[in-house]
Amino acid sequence: MSGWKFSSGITGTIPGGTILPAGGYVVFAKVPALIQARTGYAGAIAWTSGSLSNGGESVGIADASNNLIDSLTYS
């Protein structure tokens, strides 16, 4: 999943060398330190810009070649 990125909603890219095993997941957070402080999980990746609106917003993820892989409406 190296180089996969958000294509809408927020901006963030999965770092090079990232391998996602079957059943695995990637956690993105605006402030990863808060996730770690509240849950103990230290592997969250910071998104680099943008924020999510609770009023409904399209969020998409694209592969390293910029092909849309999936999208959803966040609300």
Side-chain angles (χ1 to χ4, degrees):
M1 293 193 71
S2 298
W4 285 34
K5 58 195 165 288
F6 287 100
S7 60
S8 59
I10 59 175
T11 303
T13 302
I14 297 173
T18 301
I19 297 171
L20 189 62
Y25 57 90
V26 174
V27 175
F28 274 87
K30 190 169 190 175
V31 183
L34 289 177
I35 299 293
Q36 184 173 4
R38 292 181 181 168
T39 69
Y41 179 73
I45 302 167
W47 68 64
T48 52
S49 67
S51 60
L52 297 172
S53 168
N54 287 336
E57 175 174 6
S58 177
V59 178
I61 190 163
D63 65 16
S65 297
N66 213 29
N67 298 305
L68 182 65
I69 301 300
D70 203 0
S71 64
L72 59 90
T73 299
Y74 174 87
S75 61

